[in-house]
Amino acid sequence: MVKKKACVFISGKGTNLINLIRKSRDYNFPISINLVISNNNNAPGIIYAKKNNIPFLIINTKFRNYEYKILRELKRKRISIICLAGYMKIISRNFIKKFGKVIINIHPSLLPKFKGLNTFSRILQNKEKKTGCTVHYVNEKLDGGNIILKKKFFVNPRDNENELKLKTQKLEYLAFPEAIIRIYRYH
Ligand code: GAR
């Protein structure tokens, strides 16, 4: 099987990145992780990429042309899918257009509910009965593109933010790979 080349964007811990790297080692998984991009020099996910010999790029988003630098690298590495895994920067409309290929994101809520930041505290404040995660295509609207899949669980009224996060992330590790398989099923 010829795998599609993927780039994962991260800003933080990178547990979804680690999960995707592990999954990508399966013979039948449709993508290989050929590049990791982070806007955060200290993202622990970068250490994992280094250890696993996966090329990475740290970008400084203070520079106006940083998206061009990323686009150049994506082209050079022939990347055909970007997976946003906890990348806490908005991607510009121009970037989406110029890349012109698949970009997907994972978000820790049942979209369209709770777009944006501080998801878990808002879910608790709202006394939601169910929550979960969503994998969706990225367009120019924040957390707004077409949904590929969602995974849900019932909120326990005693759950705090940390417990919600743990339960959500456990589902994310299933949802992200499943969404990627779904995208390439008929290709
Ligand atoms: C994930 O839970 C992801 O859903 C969230 O950041 C976390 C990254 O965790 N993304 C967003 O909130 C994007 N709006 P990780 O670095 O351990 O994979």
Side-chain angles (χ1 to χ4, degrees), residues 10 12-17 85-88 105-108 116-117 119-120 143 165 168-169 172-173:
I10 61 166
K13 225 170 160 188
T15 61
N16 276 286
L17 164 71
Y87 182 64
M88 296 313 202
N105 178 44
I106 190 150
H107 186 75
L117 297 175
T119 334
F120 302 114
D143 299 326
K165 184 175 170 184
T168 305
Q169 289 207 320
E172 288 186 345
Y173 306 146

Side-chain angles (χ1 to χ4, degrees), residues 1 7 9 15 21 23-24 28 38 61 67 70 88 93 96 98 100 102 113 118 120 122 128 139 145 163 167-168:
M1 165 187 228
C7 173
F9 283 38
T15 61
I21 292 173
K23 294 279 178 203
S24 71
N28 283 323
S38 175
T61 54
E67 284 195 334
I70 298 178
M88 296 313 202
R93 182 191 291 253
I96 295 169
K98 286 252 161 61
V102 180
K113 284 184 162 184
N118 305 318
F120 302 114
R122 289 187 288 136
E128 291 294 306
N139 64 13
E163 278 152 350
K167 288 181 187 176
T168 305

Side-chain angles (χ1 to χ4, degrees), residues 38-142:
S38 175
N39 63 324
N40 171 9
N41 205 358
N42 301 314
I46 289 295
I47 297 166
Y48 190 84
K50 262 188 209 169
K51 272 194 196 145
N52 287 273
N53 294 319
I54 295 171
F56 62 90
L57 179 67
I58 313 278
I59 42 144
N60 186 342
T61 54
K62 282 189 194 121
F63 291 123
R64 228 164 27 109
N65 64 348
Y66 76 90
E67 284 195 334
Y68 282 100
K69 199 173 166 191
I70 298 178
L71 283 166
R72 211 172 48 219
E73 200 56 23
L74 295 172
K75 200 163 179 193
R76 217 167 62 86
K77 292 236 154 34
R78 297 177 197 283
I79 299 295
S80 50
I81 175 170
I82 294 174
C83 303
L84 305 180
Y87 182 64
M88 296 313 202
K89 277 271 167 199
I90 305 268
I91 290 190
S92 74
R93 182 191 291 253
N94 181 51
F95 181 94
I96 295 169
K97 202 168 137 214
K98 286 252 161 61
F99 179 58
K101 294 172 188 158
V102 180
I103 308 179
I104 60 174
N105 178 44
I106 190 150
H107 186 75
S109 76
L110 297 173
L111 289 174
K113 284 184 162 184
F114 306 105
K115 295 177 178 182
L117 297 175
N118 305 318
T119 334
F120 302 114
S121 62
R122 289 187 288 136
I123 289 166
L124 288 179
Q125 263 166 30
N126 235 44
K127 300 203 183 333
E128 291 294 306
K129 289 205 167 63
K130 275 188 267 177
T131 186
C133 64
T134 307
V135 184
H136 64 96
Y137 289 104
V138 172
N139 64 13
E140 66 285 351
K141 294 198 189 104
L142 176 70

